Each structure stands twice: as C-alpha cells, then as structure tokens.
Amino acid sequence: MTILVAGATGNIGREVIAVLVARGATVRALVRSPAGAAQLPKEVEPVLGDLRDARAVEGALTGVSAALYVSPHDPDEVQLANLFVSTCERLDVRLVFAGVAVTAQNPFLRWGMRALVNAFLPHYRGKLRIAKRIGRAVRTRPVILGLANYYQNDELIRDEILAGAYCLPTHRSGVNRVDLRDVGEIAARALIDPAFPAGAYGLVGPASVSGVEAAATWSRVLHRPVAYDGDRPDRPDVLARHLDGPKLADYRRSYAFLGKHGVPTSRRDVAATTDLLGRPPRDYEAFVRDTARRWGALQQA
C-alpha cells in the first residue's frame, strides 16, 4: 500500500505524514521543489511536480492506493482540484480531503451553512466547490474532513505570545478549534484502512475558545502574563510576517470574521470526532502545554 500526500509541507500534510510514517505506511509526497522535498522525513519518497501539470499528477498517483488532498490557497484552486480528483477517479485511487467543507447531514442545514459561508466568507466559495466535487467522485470512495480553525495557527504569533500578547482576533463567545494532530490521526486511518466509511465528517475540538481564554491559557502555562489584544484597532498585522499572497489575504479575511463572530461547538460533532479518534479530542490547554514545551518556553518560566 502506497499513499500519496499532496500538500505535504503544509500544516495538515505534515501531521498526516507523521502518523503515516509512525504506522509504517509507504508514503509518497508531491512537492514542487527540492527545497520542499528536503523538509520531508527521510522515510517519505518525494515526487517533484506541480498540481497544474497533468503528467506530474498522473505520475505521482500511479501505483497509489489512497491520496490526501489539501487545497492550496491559489486563485486556480478549483481547476487544480478538478485535475487531481479526475485523475484519482481514472486510476481508482481513494481520495481523502481535509479542509473547508460543509459536513452537515441535514440537507436544509447544509444549504443554510453554505449560504452563510457564501455571504460572510466569500473567499471560501472555491473550497466549498472543491469539497462538493470530491463528494460526487463516488469511484474514489471519498472521505471529506471538514475543518474550521485549528490550534496550530498560534504558531504564527509565537513571538507575540512569548512577549505577553495573544493577538489573533477571536470573538468573546469563542471559536471552535481543532488540534491538527487529531486530524492527522483520523486522516491517516482513512488513508490506510479501505473499510473506513466514505462520507463527510466535521472534525472539532471539545470546546470553543475565546481570545481572552486563549491568552489566559498561555499565561497559566507559561507562568507569566499574556493579555488578549486581538481587538486593538492599531494592532500590527502580524500575519504578514509569516504569510504572503492569496494565503495571507484568506487569513486576514478569516480572522476579520472570527473577531466579530463566534463559532459554537456542536456536541454532535464532538461525539463524532470522539468516535473517530477512540478518545476525546485534545483540548486547547493540552496543545498549549505541548507547544510551550517544544518552544522551550517552559524552561524559561
């Protein structure tokens, strides 16, 4: 069994690869450059190619049993996905997608959620079209993992957190966030196990977290003051230090929304995520402790 990961050097792809390698899977990664290949674990076979290149995509998918697709932040994202999905259909490759998706089972709720995204998050319209296209690719036995915000975005503001400020705009009522390590476990299962049921799954963390709560958690773990300042009108654009191009634009628009609107936690989605993991999803404080330890910040506390 060989598994292909497209988007291997991104946040989601890295976590999925870590689980696949730990479970002894044979992993291949489609990367655009030697620099990207150098970021991969030594157990992973790099395949140089671009999602725009039909021959490269076919070569990477040939001989593969399953593939993970994470849509890049790109103006041509729908066309890129169509090429990848159609190639998976032709080569009989199982397709697992992780990203923005509407996963509600009730058709009226699905319609309502799509309408909300189209109205308030228009930059995600393409990603919704991609998820819908993948859901129709029945020959690939598709698994769609719908994600909202995730804990690992805190990596973008490491310097600010360690300096005492949590500055990602987050509504006072809280935003549900998920740990990408949990996503990696579930995606890896879907890629490895042919019996994993096809369908759409909303993956969530156990609770919504506000910006104030996030700051308090970091403060508690680091044993030093960390204050929330994500709603400061003169707040510097910290995202621009780490991101650029369409990805930066998407993140700016997303956090502008999350600063004004909460994202409640569905108990049904928590129960479904728990069933898939075989345990409760990781909470935010566990992520903060693990991250602070990895940063070496606990030693400074």
Side-chain angles (χ1 to χ4, degrees), residues 79-151:
Q79 291 83 355
L80 299 180
N82 282 337
L83 172 60
F84 195 90
V85 175
S86 61
T87 308
C88 286
E89 288 177 309
R90 185 158 42 81
L91 297 178
D92 195 28
V93 174
R94 172 163 231 191
L95 183 55
V96 176
F97 170 74
V100 178
V102 173
T103 58
Q105 300 303 309
N106 182 300
F108 296 105
L109 187 55
R110 280 202 306 273
W111 179 88
M113 291 176 70
R114 285 198 181 99
L116 285 173
V117 172
N118 285 330
F120 293 102
L121 296 166
H123 54 294
Y124 283 147
R125 289 173 184 167
K127 288 180 170 46
L128 290 186
R129 289 172 60 191
I130 290 168
K132 193 172 182 180
R133 167 70 177 94
I134 290 172
R136 293 198 305 263
V138 292
R139 288 187 59 191
T140 71
R141 307 171 304 287
V143 174
I144 297 170
L145 304 177
L147 315 178
N149 199 269
Y150 40 83
Y151 301 155

Side-chain angles (χ1 to χ4, degrees), residues 209-227:
V209 181
S210 71
V212 171
E213 290 167 337
T217 303
W218 279 105
S219 184
R220 188 164 57 248
V221 169
L222 296 175
H223 302 288
R224 69 182 79 161
V226 178

Side-chain angles (χ1 to χ4, degrees), residues 186-271:
I186 294 168
R189 266 193 58 210
L191 291 161
I192 292 171
D193 183 5
F196 191 102
Y201 303 85
L203 304 188
V204 298
S208 296
V209 181
S210 71
V212 171
E213 290 167 337
T217 303
W218 279 105
S219 184
R220 188 164 57 248
V221 169
L222 296 175
H223 302 288
R224 69 182 79 161
V226 178
Y228 175 63
D229 73 347
D231 54 2
R232 235 178 66 201
D234 60 339
R235 175 178 45 83
D237 186 1
V238 296
L239 296 175
R241 292 212 301 267
H242 304 277
L243 307 172
D244 56 20
K247 187 171 184 177
L248 173 59
D250 285 353
Y251 268 63
R252 280 174 172 162
R253 288 189 288 250
S254 295
Y255 274 105
F257 175 84
L258 294 175
K260 297 175 182 176
H261 306 277
V263 179
T265 297
S266 158
R267 284 200 280 181
R268 177 175 294 181
D269 284 345
V270 174

Side-chain angles (χ1 to χ4, degrees), residues 34-87:
Q39 298 178 40
L40 300 172
K42 59 182 176 56
E43 298 89 348
V44 176
E45 174 198 357
V47 177
L48 294 181
D50 192 284
L51 288 170
R52 290 178 174 78
D53 185 340
R55 293 178 65 181
V57 170
E58 178 159 359
L61 285 167
T62 298
V64 163
S65 58
L68 174 75
Y69 187 77
V70 181
S71 177
H73 294 264
D74 193 283
D76 300 330
E77 60 184 358
V78 175
Q79 291 83 355
L80 299 180
N82 282 337
L83 172 60
F84 195 90
V85 175
S86 61
T87 308

